[in-house]
Amino acid sequence: MSFLTIVSAADLADAQDWAAFGRLLSRLKAARDMSLSEIQSRAKRLRLSRDLPRATVSPVMNGRRPAKEMLSCLLTVFDVPQADQATWLETWNRLAETQPAGPIPRFDEVSPRQLGIHAAITAEDSFGDLPEYVGRDFDDELRKHISAGIERGCFVLLLGRSSSGKTRSLYEAVQVVAPNWPVVQPAGTGEIVELLDGPRQKMIVWLDEMHRFLGADPRLTKEHVIRLLHFPAIVVATLWPDDYLKRKTPRGLGAPAELENDRRLLELAEVVSVPDVLSGPELAEAERVAETDTRIRFALDAKDAGLTQVLAAGPDLLHRWEQAPDPYAKAVISFAADARRLGVLSPMPEDAFESAIGGYLTSSQRVNRPPRWLADALAFGGQELHGAVSALTPVDDGQAGLLAGYVVADYVAQHIRRTECPPRSAWETLISLAEDAEDLRRLAVAANARMRYCHEEEALRRLFELHGVGVVELAGLLFRSGREREAVDLLRRHLREVPDDRPAAARLDHTVALASRIDEVRTASADGDFEAGRRLAEMFVDGGEADALRARADAGSLLAEEDLAALLADRGAVDELRERADRGKQPAADSLAELLATHGRTDALQARADAGDEAAARQLAKLLASETTVDGAAIQTQLAYLRRRISSGDEAAARQLTALLFDLRNEAELKREVDAGTFQAAERFVALLNATETVDRTLVDRIRAHGLDAGGIPYTPREA
């Protein structure tokens, strides 16, 4: 055996079970001084056939039987020579014959806590881990979907906010319908692929928190689930509404292209919505149960939160955050919650809190930090309430006793700081420490939705450097900010190394095709043509979409004229719509009149109507005939209603909310939704600025190209 392997042939011959085999693999890991994250990153860099996520590798190191292909990938990551790998694989074959994988447990043999059900509050006379189940209105529908899976398989997704009772209801439904079925809890898509490669048998595939599989690498696809259904398998999962909303939105309405796979997957699911407030019949059932269960009685008596939230001690966790003993304890929890909202699912190491905390404190608080501020703050966040739940939970790195970091309680992450954009220190810390590809992708998406393009670039660059992916998105961002040559150079360098990357090649072709037009418009702008300067800024932001439509419309295409008018109206481009309407372009006149009417611009409509604009006259007549006045209380009620619908996962609510704020010309509220990352808020915010007569158009172009800094101020590129 080569000395590089650290493990001898005799060591492998002595291994009599998978636990011993795992210890030998751990010896290789220690010799290479590689963390689980480093193993995953190196596997990606080597472009191996199997991803090696931490959640899959850690159980193998602790005695779980690895798939044969996975073992080969691990040995390659550890630089084990091919000749020595053969000895490892011989040992694997021997153990596979003599140590078959243990039987899959039945569903009724697995504890509720292992399946992800929140620890509940305790009471003096409480009995068992869980309070008595309070039946929900959707139970019959849920159990009907699962019953259908007995014969033909099913994919059921419960949609609801944290601590709304999703996982408990799912547990009770499966316990009624298929308690004796085997259940598996895959840690990642790789384990699902292993299931598909194995023998077909009926099973429950318990995904629970499905956000772990959305946008993952490898991705969970619709095709994976369809193959599971043929086993037959009962595939069940839960998901937060905001995660569902941003992935389920059709591409044509603005969803990023990389979410298309997730959209197709979610469309396969039977979706059951789980309200976070009990209905009248559910409350009546809870009152009945409360006669014999003290925990239910306690939860019902807490009037400031719902039953399911109280059971999981959610409100108490929020109260602890609000009434934290010092700013450091509050800031630590705030940062952990922000990290989760921005899509970082990996545990937060202690040094992350150290570097990120500054943005949550005043200058005086930063200077006068007590010696033990971090230890005390983490201890406060980790204190358990009702003997079960805490705001922050320490987790290991797959090895007992080794702290990997802290994870925040879901309820806390969902309920604090929704409309505040995290400070720069949080963005920079999360991006600099993130190693997981999915965490970095989600950070980039979150930054884009909040118009923090500077942080989106940082996340995409790190994603590309560590994992060699994200080049198309990074090139698009560079192009957007006017750095088309840098984008072309990046794509060409990447394609020299990965020539079969079709999306990158397509992006390069499109960018190069626009180059001559960009040079032409840039020359005109440099010569003092103000309109050319605006067109140039627009081309960088929309990739030449409007410019191409203008060319076709000016060549006589009525369809292009209509599409252009609709596009300009969406962008609030009042000036250009007016100019085209004055040239006799009827689609522009119609769109302009509708836009002015939406904003209640009776003066502008009257002026155009007096000049003979029939579209303006029609819209003015409708506006005057309605004789409506703005009911401030009614508007606030509608806004609150739409925000509740967004929280419940309504796909249309985000569009309706941002459209309403646009119509109300409420710049401040739209800006708050941008900071919260609400779908389409960024586009509506820029369109509202653009539709304002007195706005500085150059400033609007700068915001569209470069976005905002973490504090909400228009970002100024360093080179400027």
Side-chain angles (χ1 to χ4, degrees):
M1 294 290 287
S2 166
F3 73 93
L4 292 175
T5 66
I6 310 302
V7 176
S8 69
D11 292 330
L12 289 168
D14 288 341
Q16 298 303 312
D17 54 32
W18 295 113
F21 194 76
R23 288 192 292 272
L24 295 178
L25 285 171
S26 295
R27 191 187 301 177
L28 289 183
K29 174 178 175 291
R32 292 286 292 152
D33 192 23
M34 297 178 72
S35 68
L36 294 176
S37 295
E38 289 169 338
I39 291 172
Q40 182 179 17
S41 298
R42 188 154 198 266
K44 289 181 180 296
R45 289 196 300 272
L46 294 173
R47 304 185 186 282
L48 300 180
S49 59
R50 176 64 60 86
D51 185 32
L52 299 176
R54 290 175 293 182
T56 300
V57 174
S58 178
V60 169
M61 299 289 177
N62 287 283
R64 181 170 179 171
R65 170 179 169 173
K68 198 169 188 178
E69 182 184 8
M70 178 189 173
L71 174 61
S72 295
C73 292
L74 264 177
L75 296 175
T76 300
V77 165
F78 293 146
D79 289 328
V80 176
Q82 286 295 324
D84 294 349
Q85 286 192 27
T87 306
W88 280 87
L89 294 173
E90 288 172 5
T91 303
W92 186 95
N93 289 330
R94 172 173 59 81
L95 291 177
E97 294 175 359
T98 60
Q99 296 287 327
I104 301 176
R106 297 190 337 172
F107 184 81
D108 54 11
E109 295 174 338
V110 180
S111 73
R113 289 292 298 276
Q114 288 177 299
L115 293 170
I117 296 177
H118 287 158
I121 59 175
T122 59
E124 289 184 5
D125 57 350
S126 60
F127 177 76
D129 290 337
L130 297 177
E132 185 177 341
Y133 181 62
V134 175
R136 306 296 297 269
D137 294 341
F138 56 82
D139 282 343
D140 287 344
E141 177 191 3
L142 173 59
R143 293 171 189 184
K144 178 181 177 181
H145 289 315
I146 295 175
S147 295
I150 298 292
E151 297 296 331
R152 63 176 185 269
C154 64
F155 174 27
V156 182
L157 175 65
L158 269 69
L159 190 66
R161 301 187 73 189
S162 173
S163 301
S164 60
K166 303 184 298 297
T167 307
R168 178 67 190 275
S169 295
L170 192 57
Y171 171 81
E172 296 293 337
V174 175
Q175 188 77 308
V176 168
V177 176
N180 60 344
W181 276 45
V183 60
V184 294
Q185 296 176 262
T189 308
E191 293 187 16
I192 292 177
V193 172
E194 291 178 16
L195 286 176
L196 294 172
D197 291 341
R200 286 175 53 170
Q201 60 174 314
K202 67 179 185 180
M203 66 177 66
I204 297 163
V205 181
W206 187 270
L207 303 181
D208 193 21
E209 297 178 347
M210 195 175 177
H211 62 257
R212 298 177 295 118
F213 298 87
L214 297 177
D217 185 9
R219 293 176 179 273
L220 180 63
T221 67
K222 177 180 179 180
E223 289 69 28
H224 287 141
V225 175
I226 289 175
R227 289 177 61 191
L228 284 173
L229 300 185
H230 292 159
F231 272 44
I234 296 173
V235 183
V236 291
T238 64
L239 191 63
W240 285 5
D242 55 347
D243 285 329
Y244 178 83
L245 176 62
K246 66 188 177 186
R247 289 174 166 83
K248 187 62 167 56
T249 303
R251 285 184 60 187
L253 296 175
E258 61 266 21
L259 300 184
E260 177 68 9
N261 171 80
D262 296 342
R263 183 187 67 81
R264 293 179 63 248
L265 173 62
L266 293 176
E267 284 185 341
L268 183 65
E270 297 287 354
V271 177
V272 177
S273 294
V274 180
D276 53 3
V277 177
L278 299 189
S279 68
E282 290 171 341
L283 284 172
E285 168 69 3
E287 289 287 353
R288 183 192 66 77
V289 174
E291 294 177 5
T292 56
D293 194 307
T294 308
R295 286 177 285 191
I296 300 296
R297 179 76 273 157
F298 178 88
L300 285 173
D301 290 342
K303 301 303 181 185
D304 60 343
L307 179 141
T308 56
Q309 291 82 8
V310 174
L311 288 175
D316 285 347
L317 293 179
L318 291 183
H319 293 159
R320 284 179 65 78
W321 172 74
E322 293 166 352
Q323 305 299 327
D326 57 59
Y328 311 102
K330 186 170 186 176
V332 161
I333 298 173
S334 296
F335 169 61
D338 281 345
R340 174 64 183 87
R341 287 195 308 123
L342 296 179
V344 178
L345 306 184
S346 300
M348 283 295 104
E350 287 192 11
D351 55 353
F353 294 98
E354 178 80 39
S355 59
I357 203 73
Y360 296 86
L361 304 172
T362 65
S363 176
S364 175
Q365 291 165 352
R366 289 193 292 270
V367 171
N368 298 309
R369 286 184 289 186
R372 286 182 47 82
W373 70 269
L374 181 55
D376 291 344
L378 291 174
F380 174 81
Q383 288 176 0
E384 291 187 343
L385 304 184
H386 304 285
V389 294
S390 58
L392 299 177
T393 302
V395 295
D396 61 29
D397 191 26
Q399 300 182 43
L402 295 180
L403 177 67
Y406 297 83
V407 295
V408 68
D410 286 351
Y411 190 85
V412 173
Q414 279 199 334
H415 287 80
I416 68 173
R417 300 174 58 82
R418 192 192 84 82
T419 57
E420 293 182 42
C421 183
R424 185 180 68 180
S425 61
W427 288 102
E428 292 179 345
T429 297
L430 292 171
I431 293 169
S432 64
L433 293 179
E435 295 184 345
D436 183 81
E438 287 69 56
D439 283 350
L440 287 165
R441 279 193 182 279
R442 287 186 289 263
L443 277 169
V445 171
N448 178 273
R450 291 165 174 78
M451 299 186 72
R452 271 57 182 191
Y453 303 139
C454 55
H455 299 308
E456 180 187 13
E457 180 177 346
E458 293 168 353
L460 289 173
R461 284 193 182 280
R462 184 163 173 80
L463 177 65
F464 182 59
E465 291 168 0
L466 290 182
H467 303 284
V469 296
V471 66
V472 172
E473 295 90 338
L474 178 56
L477 187 147
L478 294 173
F479 182 87
R480 179 192 190 102
S481 62
R483 292 177 283 171
E484 77 279 9
R485 291 181 178 82
E486 189 176 344
V488 168
D489 290 343
L490 173 71
L491 289 166
R492 284 176 173 163
R493 288 198 307 272
H494 172 69
L495 286 168
R496 282 196 292 269
E497 296 183 7
V498 190
D500 58 346
D501 188 336
R502 293 184 179 179
R507 169 67 72 174
L508 177 61
D509 291 344
H510 179 68
T511 305
V512 171
L514 281 172
S516 60
R517 176 62 176 154
I518 289 172
D519 289 341
E520 176 186 335
V521 178
R522 181 180 275 134
T523 299
S525 176
D527 291 340
D529 186 337
F530 175 77
E531 184 59 29
R534 295 218 59 213
R535 293 283 172 83
L536 180 64
E538 177 192 68
M539 288 178 68
F540 283 127
V541 171
D542 73 2
E545 179 183 8
D547 192 65
L549 281 175
R550 287 190 197 94
R552 290 167 50 209
D554 292 343
S557 170
L558 178 59
L559 181 60
E561 189 70 55
E562 293 172 346
D563 289 345
L564 177 61
L567 182 65
L568 294 175
D570 283 343
R571 295 178 179 178
V574 174
D575 293 343
E576 186 171 354
L577 282 172
R578 182 185 293 116
E579 183 271 332
R580 297 192 76 84
D582 291 344
R583 285 166 47 194
K585 306 294 186 181
Q586 192 58 45
D590 293 339
S591 292
L592 175 62
E594 291 177 9
L595 186 59
L596 294 174
T598 294
H599 289 176
R601 300 277 297 278
T602 55
D603 53 345
L605 284 171
Q606 186 68 64
R608 294 196 64 80
D610 292 344
D613 187 330
E614 295 182 1
R618 288 194 300 272
Q619 292 294 336
L620 179 62
K622 291 180 183 178
L623 201 58
L624 296 176
S626 64
E627 295 183 350
T628 56
T629 57
V630 176
D631 184 339
I635 290 295
Q636 290 304 315
T637 299
Q638 186 177 7
L639 291 174
Y641 169 67
L642 288 173
R643 288 185 172 115
R644 286 197 301 273
R645 285 174 58 190
I646 292 173
S647 297
S648 298
D650 191 305
E651 292 182 37
R655 288 192 297 276
Q656 293 174 3
L657 175 64
T658 55
L660 176 59
L661 293 174
F662 176 80
D663 293 345
L664 294 171
R665 309 190 78 178
N666 194 329
E667 181 181 328
E669 285 298 312
L670 261 180
K671 174 63 166 50
R672 282 167 60 85
E673 296 303 324
V674 171
D675 290 345
T678 302
F679 171 64
Q680 255 188 359
E683 293 88 338
R684 293 291 187 184
F685 174 66
V686 174
L688 181 58
L689 292 179
N690 207 33
T692 304
E693 294 281 354
T694 58
V695 74
D696 180 350
R697 306 292 177 191
T698 303
L699 177 63
V700 175
D701 291 339
R702 176 176 150 200
I703 292 174
R704 290 176 68 189
H706 304 294
L708 309 170
D709 65 15
I713 305 300
Y715 180 73
T716 301
R718 291 186 178 88
E719 56 268 26

